[in-house]
Structures are given as structure tokens and as C-alpha cells.
Amino acid sequence: MIGRTLDDLEVVIEHPRRRLAIVAAISAAGSALEAAVLVIIARVGLGLDSGNTSIVIAGFTASLLQWVLLGCGFLAALAVGHLAFARAASRFSADVLTSSRDRLVDAHLSASFARKSADAEGELQHAAGTLSEQSAYLALTVAVGGASLANVGVLVIVSALVSPAATAGIAALGVALFVVLKPIATMTSRAAARFVESNAVFGSTVAEQSQIALETQLFGVEETRSTQIAQRSNDAGSELTRSRFISLAGGAAFRDIALLALLAGLALVVATDRLGIEAIGPVLVLNVRALSFAQAVQSTRQVVSEHAPNLESVAAKIRSYRTEPRTTGQIELDRLGTIRFTNVSFRYSGADHAAIRDADLTFVDRSSYGVVGPSGGGKSTLSQLLLGVRPPTSGEIWVGDQRLDEIDPHSWARLVSAVPQDARLIEGSIADNVRFFRPDIGDDAVVEALRSAGVLDDVLAFPDGIERRVSARSAGLSG
């Protein structure tokens, strides 16, 4: 599971393994300082109890006060290390959020129209919103879990230096514990995958409802739609309940069994009667602290199992867009010529019949044409082939003496336009909508376009003219 998660992180951000290793190294350095402080505390406490004025730690002899002062110095360095760790881990999580969104949107914009149009309503928004946020949380959890694992390693090493026998027994029980609880992580992953799927269905349904609000009220089907949406919400809630129950129960089981393993290891050491209190004390303190980090590692496994499907969905979406890129040519055009279809056919993926078959058509420059036919007869498909947003399944489309797929898409976009069946507005001014993300178009060109469309007088009647604000739901305009 962790390996697959790291592979998915490679899709959404650069060098995740290296960055996670840096986070773990920072934390491990701090853990070494913490281990030193814990040993000093344990040994100084035993020294005070024994009435000693000086003690030996790691072959060095010093007074109790000197050891305490050294511990304070280690603590100051540890505080700095904690800040560095928090900065690195939080930065990694934030970068996963922004990078996953950037890569998702870039991949979407670079994908073919056929691939983009295959998305359900609101699917891209869901991936760039909720799923990316959950992926960032997952990345933070992985960073903390990796750091905790490094901390366990450091504390076990220091404990082994104090008492190899006691540490070996406790470590063996800890490894067995992870093996025993591994099926819980698998169960959590499967339950989480079902939740992500059902939640995506719910999100698509809500997005669809936002588009048909008027029709829902006109046909009086509010109650039916409410029941449908509530059922899909309940389905998602049921899957979330299963996922969270397994996760929480697994975490509690780990803590209980881990404490039992620690007690069993210490009982074994005491029963052999081979260690003195000076060795048992530091070993106990170090392993109790290691247990808290081990709990964090186990929690990480549970969270990864629960949230990995979110990251998997984002990564799969990016891969899917990248596997179907938009075809791009290199030839620049400065004017349109006669457009010819040569034996052109087009079939939608999964369709039984071709929407257009063996078409030989000629569209003469500066001429007007009308295309009529029944619903589903291929009129929209023909317009999309003409605009170059869909490549033909077979045959060729020529513009003058150049094949359409050899023409630079940006050059082609400057020469063609369309009025789609479903008119949409973007958030911004009327001028922003006319420009449509093309800042090189000046106000004079905007005014001329509005005049050509026959709406200039209406627009200029507004107090703010072409700068009148409108919204995606057509607020600010009517008619």
C-alpha cells in the first residue's frame, strides 16, 4: 500500500521520495537528541535515588548537574529540530495540494476533446477539490508516519546500546504485532475505496442537480430528486462508517497489544534477572517512547489505507488525460481556405455504428452552408470535425493544401469559432466573456464583436457598459 501511494505521489509532485526522506532525516536527528535526553533523565533520576553525585553515561563521567545542563542544551536543539520538521512536513503537504491541482488542470487542458467530454458533470471539480485536499492530508500523514518510523529506529538503536537483550525481545514482539495487524490495513483500504466511489457518485448527482434546478421545479419533481440524492448520500455515509470503524478499531487494537508486548518483553528481562536497574530504567523509558511513535506508524498505515483511494483517483485521472493528448501540428495558417473531407468516418468509442461514414464533402471559403438532419444524425459530430476538436476515425480533412491535423491548434483557433448549443458564461465582465481568456483582444475589438452580434446597444445601456459583471448562472443578464 505505501509503495503504491509513493508511486501515485510521483504523478502529482516531483521527487516525493527524496522530500519524504529529508523530512524523516530531520525527525530522526531530533529523535536522537530526545533519546539522549531520556537516557540522561533516567540515569540522573537513578543517581539521585542512589545518592550519587556523579554518574557514567556512554563512557563519560560527569556530575549530575553537568548532565542536567547538557540535557537542557539537547532540549534546545530538539526544539529547533521540531520547528524544522513541522516546516518541512507542512510544506510538503501544501505542495502536494497545489501541484496535484496544477498537474490535473494542465493534463485536462492538454487532453483530447474526446477524453475531456467523457468526464461526468463535476468530475474534474471533485478531483481538483475534495480529492486533492484529501491527497494533501494523506501526504502529511505519510510524512509524519515516515518520520515516526525513523524515530522508532533511532530509539531502538539507542536502547540496544544500553541493553541488546531487552531491546531484541521487545523489537521481535513489535514486528510480530505489525504482521498480525496487517489484514486490518487491507480491510480499511477496501472499505475506503468503496467510500470514494460512492462519494463520487453523490458528487456527480449534486453537480447535475445544480444544472437542472429550473427543470426540477417546473416539473414538480423536488421530492423524487430529494429522495434520490438522500439515498446516494446515505450510501456514501454507510461506506464511510465501515471505513472509519475498521480504522479506529484497528488503532485501538494496536495500542492494547503493543502495551502487552512491551510488558511481556520487560517481564522476560526481569525473569532472567540479568540486568540491573541502571539498564532496565533507560530501556523502559526509551521503549515506552518508541511505542508512542510505533502507534503513530500504525495510525499512518490506517490513514493511508483509508485515504489512498483519493490520491489514486487523482493520479489515475492525470494518467488518463496524459494517455489521450490533444493532437498538435506545427504549420501556421493566416487564412482559411476550402475545407475538404476525404472519405471521412467517425465512430464514438463503444458505439455500434459510425456517426459519420465515408464522407466526401467540400466547404468553399467565404460560403454559407446549412446542415439538417434528425437528432443523433451526426450534425454536432460534423461541426466538431470541422472545428478540429475531434480527429476522424478514418479519412482526412484538408484546409487548402494542408491536412487539418498538421496545423498548429493555436493558429487554427484564431481562424475559427462556434456558438455551442449550451451557452455558458464565465465569472467576470461582459468584456471578459467576449475575450474569453485572450487578453490581447482590446476594447475596440470587443465592441465590434458585440456590434456584429447585434447586442451592442443593449450592453451600452448598462451603466457600466462592457464592464458589467455577469456570472456563470447568467446573473446580470437576461434575454
PDB file of all heavy atoms in Angstrom, residues 130 134 137 184 187-196 199 236-252 302-303 305-307 310:
ATOM      1  N   THR A 130     -12.096  18.205  -3.551  1.00  0.00           N
ATOM      2  CA  THR A 130     -12.092  17.295  -2.400  1.00  0.00           C
ATOM      3  C   THR A 130     -10.965  16.272  -2.464  1.00  0.00           C
ATOM      4  O   THR A 130     -10.239  16.064  -1.488  1.00  0.00           O
ATOM      5  CB  THR A 130     -13.443  16.572  -2.303  1.00  0.00           C
ATOM      6  OG1 THR A 130     -14.492  17.546  -2.187  1.00  0.00           O
ATOM      7  CG2 THR A 130     -13.476  15.657  -1.094  1.00  0.00           C
ATOM      8  N   GLN A 134      -7.831  15.838   0.158  1.00  0.00           N
ATOM      9  CA  GLN A 134      -7.590  14.596   0.894  1.00  0.00           C
ATOM     10  C   GLN A 134      -6.215  14.017   0.564  1.00  0.00           C
ATOM     11  O   GLN A 134      -5.569  13.406   1.425  1.00  0.00           O
ATOM     12  CB  GLN A 134      -8.683  13.579   0.561  1.00  0.00           C
ATOM     13  CG  GLN A 134     -10.064  13.963   1.057  1.00  0.00           C
ATOM     14  CD  GLN A 134     -10.131  14.016   2.576  1.00  0.00           C
ATOM     15  OE1 GLN A 134      -9.446  13.281   3.272  1.00  0.00           O
ATOM     16  NE2 GLN A 134     -10.956  14.917   3.101  1.00  0.00           N
ATOM     17  N   TYR A 137      -3.729  15.820   2.710  1.00  0.00           N
ATOM     18  CA  TYR A 137      -3.772  15.283   4.074  1.00  0.00           C
ATOM     19  C   TYR A 137      -3.057  13.940   4.143  1.00  0.00           C
ATOM     20  O   TYR A 137      -2.319  13.658   5.090  1.00  0.00           O
ATOM     21  CB  TYR A 137      -5.223  15.134   4.515  1.00  0.00           C
ATOM     22  CG  TYR A 137      -5.390  14.411   5.839  1.00  0.00           C
ATOM     23  CD1 TYR A 137      -4.971  14.993   7.030  1.00  0.00           C
ATOM     24  CD2 TYR A 137      -5.958  13.140   5.883  1.00  0.00           C
ATOM     25  CE1 TYR A 137      -5.112  14.321   8.233  1.00  0.00           C
ATOM     26  CE2 TYR A 137      -6.099  12.464   7.083  1.00  0.00           C
ATOM     27  CZ  TYR A 137      -5.679  13.062   8.254  1.00  0.00           C
ATOM     28  OH  TYR A 137      -5.808  12.402   9.443  1.00  0.00           O
ATOM     29  N   ILE A 184      -5.868  -5.744   8.863  1.00  0.00           N
ATOM     30  CA  ILE A 184      -6.762  -4.626   9.157  1.00  0.00           C
ATOM     31  C   ILE A 184      -6.552  -3.493   8.159  1.00  0.00           C
ATOM     32  O   ILE A 184      -7.496  -2.849   7.703  1.00  0.00           O
ATOM     33  CB  ILE A 184      -6.545  -4.134  10.604  1.00  0.00           C
ATOM     34  CG1 ILE A 184      -6.944  -5.227  11.594  1.00  0.00           C
ATOM     35  CG2 ILE A 184      -7.334  -2.862  10.867  1.00  0.00           C
ATOM     36  CD1 ILE A 184      -6.756  -4.845  13.038  1.00  0.00           C
ATOM     37  N   MET A 187      -8.320  -4.376   4.946  1.00  0.00           N
ATOM     38  CA  MET A 187      -9.763  -4.183   5.073  1.00  0.00           C
ATOM     39  C   MET A 187     -10.118  -2.700   5.000  1.00  0.00           C
ATOM     40  O   MET A 187     -11.101  -2.311   4.359  1.00  0.00           O
ATOM     41  CB  MET A 187     -10.249  -4.785   6.392  1.00  0.00           C
ATOM     42  CG  MET A 187     -10.122  -6.295   6.484  1.00  0.00           C
ATOM     43  SD  MET A 187     -10.442  -6.908   8.167  1.00  0.00           S
ATOM     44  CE  MET A 187     -12.127  -6.328   8.424  1.00  0.00           C
ATOM     45  N   THR A 188      -9.312  -1.866   5.657  1.00  0.00           N
ATOM     46  CA  THR A 188      -9.567  -0.425   5.630  1.00  0.00           C
ATOM     47  C   THR A 188      -9.452   0.122   4.219  1.00  0.00           C
ATOM     48  O   THR A 188     -10.261   0.950   3.779  1.00  0.00           O
ATOM     49  CB  THR A 188      -8.570   0.303   6.552  1.00  0.00           C
ATOM     50  OG1 THR A 188      -8.663  -0.234   7.870  1.00  0.00           O
ATOM     51  CG2 THR A 188      -8.868   1.792   6.589  1.00  0.00           C
ATOM     52  N   SER A 189      -8.447  -0.326   3.477  1.00  0.00           N
ATOM     53  CA  SER A 189      -8.239   0.144   2.106  1.00  0.00           C
ATOM     54  C   SER A 189      -9.433  -0.185   1.221  1.00  0.00           C
ATOM     55  O   SER A 189      -9.905   0.648   0.438  1.00  0.00           O
ATOM     56  CB  SER A 189      -6.964  -0.483   1.537  1.00  0.00           C
ATOM     57  OG  SER A 189      -6.775  -0.087   0.204  1.00  0.00           O
ATOM     58  N   ARG A 190      -9.944  -1.396   1.340  1.00  0.00           N
ATOM     59  CA  ARG A 190     -11.079  -1.797   0.511  1.00  0.00           C
ATOM     60  C   ARG A 190     -12.329  -1.002   0.863  1.00  0.00           C
ATOM     61  O   ARG A 190     -13.076  -0.565  -0.030  1.00  0.00           O
ATOM     62  CB  ARG A 190     -11.329  -3.286   0.680  1.00  0.00           C
ATOM     63  CG  ARG A 190     -10.226  -4.164   0.087  1.00  0.00           C
ATOM     64  CD  ARG A 190     -10.438  -5.630   0.423  1.00  0.00           C
ATOM     65  NE  ARG A 190      -9.387  -6.462  -0.156  1.00  0.00           N
ATOM     66  CZ  ARG A 190      -9.221  -7.749   0.108  1.00  0.00           C
ATOM     67  NH1 ARG A 190     -10.061  -8.369   0.956  1.00  0.00           N
ATOM     68  NH2 ARG A 190      -8.244  -8.438  -0.462  1.00  0.00           N
ATOM     69  N   ALA A 191     -12.552  -0.807   2.153  1.00  0.00           N
ATOM     70  CA  ALA A 191     -13.720  -0.030   2.576  1.00  0.00           C
ATOM     71  C   ALA A 191     -13.600   1.413   2.114  1.00  0.00           C
ATOM     72  O   ALA A 191     -14.591   2.029   1.677  1.00  0.00           O
ATOM     73  CB  ALA A 191     -13.872  -0.092   4.097  1.00  0.00           C
ATOM     74  N   ALA A 192     -12.385   1.981   2.177  1.00  0.00           N
ATOM     75  CA  ALA A 192     -12.179   3.364   1.751  1.00  0.00           C
ATOM     76  C   ALA A 192     -12.386   3.516   0.254  1.00  0.00           C
ATOM     77  O   ALA A 192     -12.931   4.522  -0.211  1.00  0.00           O
ATOM     78  CB  ALA A 192     -10.771   3.817   2.129  1.00  0.00           C
ATOM     79  N   ALA A 193     -11.956   2.527  -0.525  1.00  0.00           N
ATOM     80  CA  ALA A 193     -12.155   2.583  -1.975  1.00  0.00           C
ATOM     81  C   ALA A 193     -13.645   2.612  -2.318  1.00  0.00           C
ATOM     82  O   ALA A 193     -14.076   3.340  -3.219  1.00  0.00           O
ATOM     83  CB  ALA A 193     -11.469   1.392  -2.638  1.00  0.00           C
ATOM     84  N   ARG A 194     -14.429   1.815  -1.592  1.00  0.00           N
ATOM     85  CA  ARG A 194     -15.874   1.827  -1.829  1.00  0.00           C
ATOM     86  C   ARG A 194     -16.488   3.174  -1.463  1.00  0.00           C
ATOM     87  O   ARG A 194     -17.404   3.658  -2.134  1.00  0.00           O
ATOM     88  CB  ARG A 194     -16.539   0.699  -1.034  1.00  0.00           C
ATOM     89  CG  ARG A 194     -16.194  -0.695  -1.534  1.00  0.00           C
ATOM     90  CD  ARG A 194     -17.118  -1.747  -0.917  1.00  0.00           C
ATOM     91  NE  ARG A 194     -16.943  -1.841   0.528  1.00  0.00           N
ATOM     92  CZ  ARG A 194     -16.093  -2.665   1.125  1.00  0.00           C
ATOM     93  NH1 ARG A 194     -15.315  -3.473   0.399  1.00  0.00           N
ATOM     94  NH2 ARG A 194     -16.012  -2.706   2.452  1.00  0.00           N
ATOM     95  N   PHE A 195     -15.956   3.798  -0.386  1.00  0.00           N
ATOM     96  CA  PHE A 195     -16.469   5.112   0.003  1.00  0.00           C
ATOM     97  C   PHE A 195     -16.153   6.152  -1.060  1.00  0.00           C
ATOM     98  O   PHE A 195     -17.013   6.979  -1.416  1.00  0.00           O
ATOM     99  CB  PHE A 195     -15.874   5.541   1.342  1.00  0.00           C
ATOM    100  CG  PHE A 195     -16.085   7.002   1.640  1.00  0.00           C
ATOM    101  CD1 PHE A 195     -17.349   7.493   1.898  1.00  0.00           C
ATOM    102  CD2 PHE A 195     -15.019   7.885   1.620  1.00  0.00           C
ATOM    103  CE1 PHE A 195     -17.557   8.849   2.147  1.00  0.00           C
ATOM    104  CE2 PHE A 195     -15.211   9.232   1.868  1.00  0.00           C
ATOM    105  CZ  PHE A 195     -16.483   9.710   2.130  1.00  0.00           C
ATOM    106  N   VAL A 196     -14.921   6.164  -1.573  1.00  0.00           N
ATOM    107  CA  VAL A 196     -14.534   7.136  -2.596  1.00  0.00           C
ATOM    108  C   VAL A 196     -15.429   6.993  -3.826  1.00  0.00           C
ATOM    109  O   VAL A 196     -15.893   7.986  -4.406  1.00  0.00           O
ATOM    110  CB  VAL A 196     -13.057   6.955  -2.979  1.00  0.00           C
ATOM    111  CG1 VAL A 196     -12.717   7.783  -4.218  1.00  0.00           C
ATOM    112  CG2 VAL A 196     -12.158   7.373  -1.825  1.00  0.00           C
ATOM    113  N   ASN A 199     -18.953   8.220  -2.949  1.00  0.00           N
ATOM    114  CA  ASN A 199     -18.929   9.666  -2.748  1.00  0.00           C
ATOM    115  C   ASN A 199     -18.832  10.403  -4.079  1.00  0.00           C
ATOM    116  O   ASN A 199     -19.400  11.485  -4.244  1.00  0.00           O
ATOM    117  CB  ASN A 199     -17.759  10.055  -1.847  1.00  0.00           C
ATOM    118  CG  ASN A 199     -17.928  11.432  -1.244  1.00  0.00           C
ATOM    119  OD1 ASN A 199     -19.006  11.780  -0.767  1.00  0.00           O
ATOM    120  ND2 ASN A 199     -16.869  12.226  -1.259  1.00  0.00           N
ATOM    121  N   ALA A 236     -23.019   6.682   0.629  1.00  0.00           N
ATOM    122  CA  ALA A 236     -21.666   7.153   0.932  1.00  0.00           C
ATOM    123  C   ALA A 236     -21.405   7.146   2.433  1.00  0.00           C
ATOM    124  O   ALA A 236     -20.323   6.771   2.896  1.00  0.00           O
ATOM    125  CB  ALA A 236     -21.456   8.557   0.365  1.00  0.00           C
ATOM    126  N   GLY A 237     -22.419   7.549   3.218  1.00  0.00           N
ATOM    127  CA  GLY A 237     -22.261   7.558   4.667  1.00  0.00           C
ATOM    128  C   GLY A 237     -22.056   6.169   5.240  1.00  0.00           C
ATOM    129  O   GLY A 237     -21.256   5.981   6.165  1.00  0.00           O
ATOM    130  N   SER A 238     -22.751   5.183   4.686  1.00  0.00           N
ATOM    131  CA  SER A 238     -22.597   3.804   5.164  1.00  0.00           C
ATOM    132  C   SER A 238     -21.182   3.294   4.907  1.00  0.00           C
ATOM    133  O   SER A 238     -20.568   2.651   5.763  1.00  0.00           O
ATOM    134  CB  SER A 238     -23.621   2.896   4.481  1.00  0.00           C
ATOM    135  OG  SER A 238     -24.937   3.282   4.821  1.00  0.00           O
ATOM    136  N   GLU A 239     -20.655   3.598   3.715  1.00  0.00           N
ATOM    137  CA  GLU A 239     -19.295   3.158   3.398  1.00  0.00           C
ATOM    138  C   GLU A 239     -18.275   3.875   4.283  1.00  0.00           C
ATOM    139  O   GLU A 239     -17.267   3.279   4.705  1.00  0.00           O
ATOM    140  CB  GLU A 239     -18.987   3.417   1.922  1.00  0.00           C
ATOM    141  CG  GLU A 239     -19.853   2.622   0.954  1.00  0.00           C
ATOM    142  CD  GLU A 239     -19.660   1.122   1.089  1.00  0.00           C
ATOM    143  OE1 GLU A 239     -18.665   0.687   1.705  1.00  0.00           O
ATOM    144  OE2 GLU A 239     -20.516   0.367   0.587  1.00  0.00           O
ATOM    145  N   LEU A 240     -18.528   5.158   4.583  1.00  0.00           N
ATOM    146  CA  LEU A 240     -17.620   5.894   5.465  1.00  0.00           C
ATOM    147  C   LEU A 240     -17.644   5.304   6.872  1.00  0.00           C
ATOM    148  O   LEU A 240     -16.603   5.197   7.527  1.00  0.00           O
ATOM    149  CB  LEU A 240     -18.007   7.372   5.499  1.00  0.00           C
ATOM    150  CG  LEU A 240     -17.144   8.259   6.396  1.00  0.00           C
ATOM    151  CD1 LEU A 240     -15.693   8.255   5.934  1.00  0.00           C
ATOM    152  CD2 LEU A 240     -17.686   9.685   6.421  1.00  0.00           C
ATOM    153  N   THR A 241     -18.828   4.915   7.343  1.00  0.00           N
ATOM    154  CA  THR A 241     -18.935   4.305   8.671  1.00  0.00           C
ATOM    155  C   THR A 241     -18.099   3.036   8.760  1.00  0.00           C
ATOM    156  O   THR A 241     -17.355   2.824   9.733  1.00  0.00           O
ATOM    157  CB  THR A 241     -20.403   3.979   8.996  1.00  0.00           C
ATOM    158  OG1 THR A 241     -21.165   5.190   8.990  1.00  0.00           O
ATOM    159  CG2 THR A 241     -20.523   3.320  10.363  1.00  0.00           C
ATOM    160  N   ARG A 242     -18.205   2.178   7.750  1.00  0.00           N
ATOM    161  CA  ARG A 242     -17.418   0.942   7.747  1.00  0.00           C
ATOM    162  C   ARG A 242     -15.922   1.240   7.756  1.00  0.00           C
ATOM    163  O   ARG A 242     -15.152   0.638   8.503  1.00  0.00           O
ATOM    164  CB  ARG A 242     -17.781   0.097   6.521  1.00  0.00           C
ATOM    165  CG  ARG A 242     -19.212  -0.408   6.503  1.00  0.00           C
ATOM    166  CD  ARG A 242     -19.427  -1.384   5.354  1.00  0.00           C
ATOM    167  NE  ARG A 242     -20.833  -1.756   5.223  1.00  0.00           N
ATOM    168  CZ  ARG A 242     -21.689  -1.177   4.400  1.00  0.00           C
ATOM    169  NH1 ARG A 242     -21.271  -0.191   3.624  1.00  0.00           N
ATOM    170  NH2 ARG A 242     -22.948  -1.564   4.346  1.00  0.00           N
ATOM    171  N   SER A 243     -15.525   2.181   6.913  1.00  0.00           N
ATOM    172  CA  SER A 243     -14.104   2.508   6.810  1.00  0.00           C
ATOM    173  C   SER A 243     -13.560   3.057   8.125  1.00  0.00           C
ATOM    174  O   SER A 243     -12.500   2.635   8.616  1.00  0.00           O
ATOM    175  CB  SER A 243     -13.896   3.531   5.682  1.00  0.00           C
ATOM    176  OG  SER A 243     -12.563   3.965   5.637  1.00  0.00           O
ATOM    177  N   ARG A 244     -14.288   4.007   8.732  1.00  0.00           N
ATOM    178  CA  ARG A 244     -13.811   4.621   9.968  1.00  0.00           C
ATOM    179  C   ARG A 244     -13.840   3.626  11.130  1.00  0.00           C
ATOM    180  O   ARG A 244     -12.971   3.661  12.010  1.00  0.00           O
ATOM    181  CB  ARG A 244     -14.667   5.841  10.292  1.00  0.00           C
ATOM    182  CG  ARG A 244     -14.496   6.968   9.275  1.00  0.00           C
ATOM    183  CD  ARG A 244     -13.136   7.619   9.397  1.00  0.00           C
ATOM    184  NE  ARG A 244     -12.812   8.467   8.271  1.00  0.00           N
ATOM    185  CZ  ARG A 244     -13.215   9.722   8.132  1.00  0.00           C
ATOM    186  NH1 ARG A 244     -13.993  10.273   9.050  1.00  0.00           N
ATOM    187  NH2 ARG A 244     -12.851  10.417   7.072  1.00  0.00           N
ATOM    188  N   PHE A 245     -14.847   2.741  11.164  1.00  0.00           N
ATOM    189  CA  PHE A 245     -14.917   1.748  12.238  1.00  0.00           C
ATOM    190  C   PHE A 245     -13.688   0.834  12.207  1.00  0.00           C
ATOM    191  O   PHE A 245     -13.052   0.592  13.233  1.00  0.00           O
ATOM    192  CB  PHE A 245     -16.187   0.908  12.112  1.00  0.00           C
ATOM    193  CG  PHE A 245     -16.209  -0.275  13.049  1.00  0.00           C
ATOM    194  CD1 PHE A 245     -16.485  -0.101  14.398  1.00  0.00           C
ATOM    195  CD2 PHE A 245     -15.922  -1.548  12.586  1.00  0.00           C
ATOM    196  CE1 PHE A 245     -16.478  -1.185  15.269  1.00  0.00           C
ATOM    197  CE2 PHE A 245     -15.918  -2.640  13.443  1.00  0.00           C
ATOM    198  CZ  PHE A 245     -16.200  -2.452  14.788  1.00  0.00           C
ATOM    199  N   ILE A 246     -13.375   0.326  11.030  1.00  0.00           N
ATOM    200  CA  ILE A 246     -12.206  -0.563  10.915  1.00  0.00           C
ATOM    201  C   ILE A 246     -10.939   0.177  11.300  1.00  0.00           C
ATOM    202  O   ILE A 246     -10.068  -0.355  11.993  1.00  0.00           O
ATOM    203  CB  ILE A 246     -12.105  -1.116   9.484  1.00  0.00           C
ATOM    204  CG1 ILE A 246     -13.327  -1.966   9.149  1.00  0.00           C
ATOM    205  CG2 ILE A 246     -10.835  -1.939   9.314  1.00  0.00           C
ATOM    206  CD1 ILE A 246     -13.389  -2.386   7.699  1.00  0.00           C
ATOM    207  N   SER A 247     -10.825   1.446  10.877  1.00  0.00           N
ATOM    208  CA  SER A 247      -9.628   2.230  11.178  1.00  0.00           C
ATOM    209  C   SER A 247      -9.476   2.469  12.678  1.00  0.00           C
ATOM    210  O   SER A 247      -8.403   2.253  13.253  1.00  0.00           O
ATOM    211  CB  SER A 247      -9.688   3.569  10.428  1.00  0.00           C
ATOM    212  OG  SER A 247      -8.577   4.375  10.737  1.00  0.00           O
ATOM    213  N   LEU A 248     -10.558   2.907  13.327  1.00  0.00           N
ATOM    214  CA  LEU A 248     -10.489   3.206  14.758  1.00  0.00           C
ATOM    215  C   LEU A 248     -10.296   1.937  15.585  1.00  0.00           C
ATOM    216  O   LEU A 248      -9.514   1.916  16.550  1.00  0.00           O
ATOM    217  CB  LEU A 248     -11.756   3.936  15.201  1.00  0.00           C
ATOM    218  CG  LEU A 248     -11.945   5.350  14.631  1.00  0.00           C
ATOM    219  CD1 LEU A 248     -13.308   5.896  15.010  1.00  0.00           C
ATOM    220  CD2 LEU A 248     -10.832   6.277  15.107  1.00  0.00           C
ATOM    221  N   ALA A 249     -11.014   0.870  15.220  1.00  0.00           N
ATOM    222  CA  ALA A 249     -10.866  -0.380  15.957  1.00  0.00           C
ATOM    223  C   ALA A 249      -9.464  -0.936  15.804  1.00  0.00           C
ATOM    224  O   ALA A 249      -8.876  -1.467  16.758  1.00  0.00           O
ATOM    225  CB  ALA A 249     -11.901  -1.396  15.462  1.00  0.00           C
ATOM    226  N   GLY A 250      -8.902  -0.804  14.615  1.00  0.00           N
ATOM    227  CA  GLY A 250      -7.539  -1.285  14.396  1.00  0.00           C
ATOM    228  C   GLY A 250      -6.516  -0.516  15.212  1.00  0.00           C
ATOM    229  O   GLY A 250      -5.585  -1.098  15.775  1.00  0.00           O
ATOM    230  N   GLY A 251      -6.706   0.810  15.293  1.00  0.00           N
ATOM    231  CA  GLY A 251      -5.787   1.611  16.098  1.00  0.00           C
ATOM    232  C   GLY A 251      -5.845   1.255  17.567  1.00  0.00           C
ATOM    233  O   GLY A 251      -4.810   1.155  18.239  1.00  0.00           O
ATOM    234  N   ALA A 252      -7.052   1.047  18.081  1.00  0.00           N
ATOM    235  CA  ALA A 252      -7.196   0.669  19.490  1.00  0.00           C
ATOM    236  C   ALA A 252      -6.579  -0.699  19.753  1.00  0.00           C
ATOM    237  O   ALA A 252      -5.916  -0.918  20.780  1.00  0.00           O
ATOM    238  CB  ALA A 252      -8.683   0.661  19.870  1.00  0.00           C
ATOM    239  N   GLN A 302      -3.218   3.023   8.840  1.00  0.00           N
ATOM    240  CA  GLN A 302      -4.673   3.067   8.770  1.00  0.00           C
ATOM    241  C   GLN A 302      -5.145   4.236   7.908  1.00  0.00           C
ATOM    242  O   GLN A 302      -6.045   4.086   7.078  1.00  0.00           O
ATOM    243  CB  GLN A 302      -5.265   3.176  10.176  1.00  0.00           C
ATOM    244  CG  GLN A 302      -4.967   2.009  11.095  1.00  0.00           C
ATOM    245  CD  GLN A 302      -5.721   0.750  10.702  1.00  0.00           C
ATOM    246  OE1 GLN A 302      -6.491   0.734   9.759  1.00  0.00           O
ATOM    247  NE2 GLN A 302      -5.478  -0.331  11.409  1.00  0.00           N
ATOM    248  N   VAL A 303      -4.523   5.398   8.115  1.00  0.00           N
ATOM    249  CA  VAL A 303      -4.932   6.584   7.348  1.00  0.00           C
ATOM    250  C   VAL A 303      -4.607   6.396   5.872  1.00  0.00           C
ATOM    251  O   VAL A 303      -5.397   6.767   4.990  1.00  0.00           O
ATOM    252  CB  VAL A 303      -4.251   7.846   7.909  1.00  0.00           C
ATOM    253  CG1 VAL A 303      -4.504   9.041   6.999  1.00  0.00           C
ATOM    254  CG2 VAL A 303      -4.762   8.143   9.306  1.00  0.00           C
ATOM    255  N   SER A 305      -4.445   3.568   4.280  1.00  0.00           N
ATOM    256  CA  SER A 305      -5.433   2.629   3.755  1.00  0.00           C
ATOM    257  C   SER A 305      -6.770   3.310   3.493  1.00  0.00           C
ATOM    258  O   SER A 305      -7.473   2.997   2.533  1.00  0.00           O
ATOM    259  CB  SER A 305      -5.628   1.468   4.740  1.00  0.00           C
ATOM    260  OG  SER A 305      -4.424   0.757   4.928  1.00  0.00           O
ATOM    261  N   GLU A 306      -7.105   4.275   4.346  1.00  0.00           N
ATOM    262  CA  GLU A 306      -8.398   4.950   4.238  1.00  0.00           C
ATOM    263  C   GLU A 306      -8.416   6.017   3.161  1.00  0.00           C
ATOM    264  O   GLU A 306      -9.415   6.187   2.454  1.00  0.00           O
ATOM    265  CB  GLU A 306      -8.765   5.572   5.587  1.00  0.00           C
ATOM    266  CG  GLU A 306     -10.140   6.189   5.636  1.00  0.00           C
ATOM    267  CD  GLU A 306     -10.490   6.697   7.034  1.00  0.00           C
ATOM    268  OE1 GLU A 306      -9.879   6.211   7.999  1.00  0.00           O
ATOM    269  OE2 GLU A 306     -11.368   7.550   7.137  1.00  0.00           O
ATOM    270  N   HIS A 307      -7.296   6.746   2.997  1.00  0.00           N
ATOM    271  CA  HIS A 307      -7.281   7.897   2.096  1.00  0.00           C
ATOM    272  C   HIS A 307      -6.513   7.664   0.802  1.00  0.00           C
ATOM    273  O   HIS A 307      -6.582   8.511  -0.104  1.00  0.00           O
ATOM    274  CB  HIS A 307      -6.686   9.118   2.813  1.00  0.00           C
ATOM    275  CG  HIS A 307      -7.564   9.670   3.902  1.00  0.00           C
ATOM    276  ND1 HIS A 307      -8.597  10.533   3.654  1.00  0.00           N
ATOM    277  CD2 HIS A 307      -7.574   9.446   5.246  1.00  0.00           C
ATOM    278  CE1 HIS A 307      -9.202  10.846   4.792  1.00  0.00           C
ATOM    279  NE2 HIS A 307      -8.601  10.196   5.769  1.00  0.00           N
ATOM    280  N   ASN A 310      -8.251   8.228  -2.578  1.00  0.00           N
ATOM    281  CA  ASN A 310      -8.397   9.606  -3.064  1.00  0.00           C
ATOM    282  C   ASN A 310      -7.219   9.991  -3.945  1.00  0.00           C
ATOM    283  O   ASN A 310      -7.396  10.536  -5.045  1.00  0.00           O
ATOM    284  CB  ASN A 310      -8.499  10.576  -1.880  1.00  0.00           C
ATOM    285  CG  ASN A 310      -9.706  10.315  -1.004  1.00  0.00           C
ATOM    286  OD1 ASN A 310     -10.822  10.225  -1.487  1.00  0.00           O
ATOM    287  ND2 ASN A 310      -9.485  10.180   0.297  1.00  0.00           N
TER     288      ASN A 310
END
